[in-house]
Amino acid sequence: MNNKKLTIKLIAFALAMLLFGFSLVPLYGLLCEVTGINGKIIGASEKNTNIRTSTQTSEQVVKLQILTHNQGPIPIQIKTDKIEIYANVGQEYLISFEATNTGSKDIVIQAVPSVSPGLTAKYLHKIECFCFAQQAIKKGETVNLSLNFYIDELIDPKYKQMSLSYAIFDISDDIKPEKWHQLFPENIKIAKVSK
Amino acid sequence: MNQHTSIKAATGWRRWVYTTNHKDIGTLYLWFSLIMFFTGGLMAMIIRAELFQPGLQLVEPNFFNQMTTVHGLIMVFGAVMPAFTGLANWMVPLMIGAPDMALPRMNNWSFWILPFAFLILLSSLFMPGGGPNFGWTFYAPLSTTYSNDNTAFFVFAIHIMGISSIMGAINVIVTITNMRAPGMTWMKLPMFVWTMLITAFLLIMVMPVLAGTVTMVLTDKYFGTSFFDASGGGDPVMFQHLFWFFGHPEVYIMILPAFGIISTIIPTFSRKKLFGYHSMVYATVSIAFLSFIVWAHHMFTTGMPLAGELFFMYSTMIISVPTGVKVFNWIATLWRGSITFEVPMLFALAFIVLFTIGGMSGLMLAITPADFQYHDTYFVVAHFHYVLVTGAVFSIMAATYYWIPKWTGNMFHEGLAKTHFWLSLVSVNILFFPMHFVGLAGMPRRIPDYALQFADFNALISIGGFAFGLSQILFVVVIVKCIRGGKKAKANVWEDAEGLEWEVPSPAPLHTFSTAPTIK
């Protein structure tokens, strides 16, 4: 092979590796989704069609702990009455949260869930979750947030405990002014001077 | 040949800026690497001065973090990698009997963009907000959400360094593939040429991934993407996967050429052929391959499933097999050889012992449950400084002493060089060995202050650091003296050293092997 041909091939190879680097992003997402190894839950699940009636109790119970924590100093307080529940497998549960904005500004938050052990994430089906959407909370306001889920009957019985942890991010800075106006119709976003 | 003599050669600064000659470009790379070695070294001195005593004395914590970050970046991308590229430029054409590198103009370009990359990186230290302070590994979100506004300078500097390395690597591959003298089959290639070839392949495979990763950091920080931002659906752990996919092969990019150098020097001063040449080649290829499947051993504490931790633990440990083959072969080469202790040999022998210490601590770190204790402590710092300073840097010094008579035509001052060696050897161990102890005792890395029980060891480490730093001035003295004069060197500087580079006169004329040599 002459120099020119080989050089072109090697440059093409380097460019292909650049492409490969970027393609690792969707590949990583796919791998995590298929294997569930990083405890991520993606999107909403269908309603459980073969739900047992609430009078029936499943013999299999999973202790689910529910945690929320603010990622950084955010003036948001989230409370729930159920920090842990003994969930019957296959049964639907509704958990409600109260989020209060204790700060002096309107805030938009995004909750990011994470399940531990990671491999159980795919068995935790969320029908409705406040983490599916951005939540706009006015200053001083308290809003109700909800989570509706069930644990899949296919879950390995060796898992007796799970935790569902929400990291709360303040994403106010990433919201564009028009979107801001939709979220807070009566207020116009005041440009923040500093982060 | 006639063509060249008819063209008036550029002189003065134009000679260096316009040059397409592999020897001139090799020299430029080596000087650049030396300057960067001292720049990064100065930062190490600041780090060690601050850590001499517990408490904050000299610098702000934020500036301390900038020092650790830029020290790492400079030493990796500015000192070690350009030194190997420089050695490859100088020696590969001479060793394979080629008149020059295959792509001389690209060669010029790949060198001359490099100073600008480091100018950009270093200039950010003097801007409001300061330079990068998130560690050379620039983990997200430290480099995205929490970094200062000058991060773009860091990103573009890495881009330029990456382009430079990729071009250099392409040049090495094309040269070795196409320009070997007739009769020089693959299995007759000198070991240094083999290791540079494999290193070049590693470079073109991983540098583009690094370029992609820094680009994602750039867009996450400035253009609102969320590759690594959990609140936007990204994943900060993915950053670590992408980074170490580059980062682990990078480790071997910095050590494989060192293996080649040691495999060249040991036979010369043992007056024997290299033991197990074929196994050396296969071991190098195996190490290169394995380097791609071990990356997550840097991430044991991120919460991987058990199967993953086991896989990366075992695959990491397997690397010690081909590495062990190499160490065995060097020792077997020494076995019953007529050994003499010239300066390059002293550095090579120190390399074998000290690199093996670094390898052993690497094996300790590979054990997943133990790594949870060692992770992000000074034990890790001790480990990678043993493999990179007493490994890669010692090999570069060995190579310099081995080939400098060929480059300058003069022998170096042996007494001064030996003094340099012994001072370096003693001080480097005072510098890095106690780091194992403070690391095992729990001192975290990248901190400007530490708990009082680490004070004595840190003072000792700092003294070793200053001594090692000062010893390197002697290295420059020896080099400058050697360039200016000294005993004239023969063509074959080291008695019966093997290799085509010893068949050309010393100093090597600007143009060599215009007609290809015959390979026996």
Side-chain angles (χ1 to χ4, degrees), chain A residues 1-3 6-7 10-11 13-14 17-18 20-22 24-25 28 37-38 40 110 112 169 171 174, chain B residues 102-103 166 170 173-174 177-178 204-205 208-209 212 216 227 230-231 233 235 237-238 241-242 245 305:
Chain A
M1 216 182 311
N2 68 32
N3 287 358
L6 185 58
T7 308
L10 290 169
I11 292 171
F13 184 56
M17 286 307 295
L18 182 70
F20 172 73
F22 279 97
L24 284 174
V25 176
Y28 176 83
I37 48 179
N38 70 345
K40 241 196 228 178
Q110 171 70 57
V112 177
F169 289 86
I171 54 163
D174 303 333
Chain B
L103 310 160
I166 290 167
I170 288 174
I173 295 172
V174 178
T177 312
N178 284 353
I204 58 171
M205 286 175 85
V209 177
M216 291 177 209
F227 288 107
S231 70
D235 191 334
V237 176
M238 184 179 72
H241 282 289
L242 288 178
F245 182 84

Side-chain angles (χ1 to χ4, degrees), chain B residues 215-271:
Chain B
T215 309
M216 291 177 209
V217 166
L218 183 81
T219 59
D220 264 19
K221 178 150 183 71
Y222 297 98
F223 304 110
T225 58
S226 15
F227 288 107
F228 309 126
D229 180 8
S231 70
D235 191 334
V237 176
M238 184 179 72
F239 173 87
Q240 298 183 26
H241 282 289
L242 288 178
F243 179 80
W244 288 114
F245 182 84
F246 146 79
H248 202 77
E250 170 69 17
V251 173
Y252 292 95
I253 286 167
M254 292 190 283
I255 204 66
L256 290 183
F259 291 165
I261 291 164
I262 302 307
S263 304
T264 311
I265 291 174
I266 295 283
T268 299
F269 299 101
S270 308
R271 289 160 187 82

Side-chain angles (χ1 to χ4, degrees), chain B residues 8 31 43 88 93 101 109 117 150 152 170 209 251 263 287 306 309 314 346 353 402 410 419 448 479-480 483-484 493:
Chain B
K8 194 166 156 272
W31 276 116
M43 293 170 188
M101 295 295 275
W109 196 30
N150 301 333
I170 288 174
V209 177
V251 173
S263 304
I287 293 171
L306 184 65
E309 305 216 310
Y314 291 129
L346 290 174
V353 176
Y402 187 61
N410 304 317
T419 315
I479 291 171
V480 172
I483 292 168
R484 289 187 157 186
V493 180

